[in-house]
Amino acid sequence: MGAACERVVAVVVAFDRRELLVRVLQALAAQTRPLDCVVVLDNASSDGSAEAARRAAADLAVPVDVVALPRNTGGAGGFAAGLARAITEHAADWVWLMDDDTVPTPTALEQLLAARDAHPGEVAVLASRVVWHDGREHPMNTPRRRPLARAAARAGAASAGAVPVRSASFVSLLVDAEAVRADGLPVADYFIWNDDFEFTTRLLRARTGLHCPASVVVHETRVFGGTDVDPGPRFYFEVRNKVWLFTRSGGLAPWEKALYGGSTLLRWARTLAGSSQPRVLLAGLRRGLADGLRRRPRPTSQVLEGLGAVSAAVVAVEAGAGR
């Protein structure tokens, strides 16, 4: 679809970061390529995030659709619900995904679309360069380059000022709605962690994804660090979801599962070695392995049922997925 008539909708998943959420909305309204709509998916925040977003929207030059869920569905459920809402209710051709602590610079969206348009082939996913507030590249959100990418793929990406990638995070991810309709939404049962890894590897199994350094967003995390920072009890989700990803998802080829599985084991070892509460992590490891092997993730439409129009939108999008 041509740039003149395509609709780009941003989805922001929010949970208890009211002030940051307002900053994100202001940054989205200041994009040099104006958005057609912003969907705020509030995960049952307790700090008035939804109300703050509605108040802020009155002063912004972009329509804002605030959806307040009655229960916390995690990042995975929030992005699945937000994507479905953007596609079904707002006729999005492209959906720009981010957390409520992701502050895009004014040209972030323009640069993503410019890279897509400059690429010689079809592109399904584009990821921004993610920095911390001091300008350093954020190690938590580094896209995985496509291993064994052919010379033609590397040259095509380079012509657009980009790099071919195999996966990327939900911190500023531009996604083709048609790819989502074909391959489905994020798996809501992941709740947190690795949902973006699974989702993007699934969409990019046979499609092109680009990392675009000219598109910059600031990830306003409290601390600067990577994914092997001591996670405490939430290590359970890292382990269970990685087991699901490597055994239940069709996103990775067998050789890729071996490659990424090996790097995962090394990262787990580093995390355990550097933890101040190794017993907590070991308990999460045992429980995550057991739960990941014992059952598969529930369908996203089942996890997100009972949410009214949001549930209906999820069912509508998932109905066409060919997974």
Side-chain angles (χ1 to χ4, degrees):
M1 182 173 292
C5 56
E6 69 185 357
R7 288 179 57 81
V8 182
V9 176
V11 169
V12 182
V13 175
F15 182 70
D16 281 353
R17 287 190 284 229
R18 182 180 58 200
E19 288 77 17
L20 260 176
L21 173 60
V22 171
R23 282 181 57 199
V24 172
L25 292 177
Q26 292 168 343
L28 289 172
Q31 290 298 297
T32 53
R33 193 291 189 185
L35 285 154
D36 293 282
C37 183
V38 177
V39 174
V40 175
L41 202 294
D42 183 69
N43 254 326
S45 292
S46 60
D47 68 346
S49 287
E51 293 79 2
R54 291 190 181 101
R55 288 195 300 270
D59 298 322
L60 301 178
V62 59
V64 180
D65 175 17
V66 180
V67 181
L69 297 185
R71 55 184 168 88
N72 183 5
T73 64
F79 282 114
L83 258 169
R85 179 84 172 186
I87 292 171
T88 61
E89 298 298 319
H90 299 289
D93 299 299
W94 289 81
V95 185
W96 192 18
L97 305 172
M98 65 193 68
D99 285 316
D100 57 355
D101 58 356
T102 305
V103 183
T105 59
T107 62
L109 177 58
E110 179 183 354
Q111 292 294 340
L112 288 173
L113 292 171
R116 180 204 63 182
D117 294 341
H119 190 268
E122 296 291 326
V123 179
V125 171
L126 301 104
S128 299
R129 179 163 67 94
V130 182
V131 301
W132 204 39
H133 59 74
D134 63 0
R136 286 182 290 172
E137 297 219 12
H138 209 307
M140 187 180 293
N141 309 114
T142 305
R144 293 173 176 84
R145 293 197 177 201
R146 182 174 285 276
L148 307 180
R150 295 181 177 179
R154 296 195 302 272
S159 70
V163 176
V165 295
R166 189 65 179 87
S167 70
S169 82
F170 282 149
V171 177
S172 187
L173 188 77
L174 187 64
V175 183
D176 181 2
E178 286 304 310
V180 179
R181 288 187 182 277
D183 283 354
L185 298 163
V187 181
D189 215 11
Y190 276 50
F191 194 72
I192 57 169
W193 291 2
N194 296 304
D195 48 320
D196 45 9
F197 186 17
E198 193 281 333
F199 175 69
T200 54
T201 54
R202 178 161 32 96
L203 263 61
L204 296 178
R205 180 82 186 255
R207 298 186 183 90
T208 296
L210 300 177
H211 176 225
C212 310
S215 172
V216 181
V217 301
V218 181
H219 195 187
E220 294 279 4
T221 57
R222 282 192 291 270
V223 297
F224 179 82
T227 55
D228 54 356
V229 172
D230 195 341
R234 296 200 295 179
F235 190 56
Y236 163 79
F237 293 104
E238 156 68 12
V239 175
R240 184 199 64 179
N241 295 351
K242 277 283 173 49
V243 173
W244 277 349
L245 193 153
F246 293 137
T247 63
R248 314 291 190 180
S249 173
L252 296 172
W255 69 270
E256 291 177 311
K257 292 179 181 179
L259 174 66
Y260 295 126
S263 65
T264 292
L265 292 176
L266 289 174
R267 186 165 59 254
W268 288 357
R270 287 196 304 269
T271 301
L272 286 164
S275 175
S276 61
Q277 43 186 341
R279 290 185 180 179
V280 173
L281 265 62
L282 286 171
L285 176 67
R286 288 191 294 269
R287 194 160 63 95
L289 288 172
D291 288 354
L293 293 170
R294 185 165 47 230
R295 72 173 182 90
R296 63 174 57 248
R298 294 169 294 167
T300 290
S301 57
Q302 179 181 334
V303 175
L304 298 181
E305 65 185 0
L307 301 175
V310 166
S311 302
V314 169
V315 170
V317 174
E318 290 279 280
R323 286 180 293 160

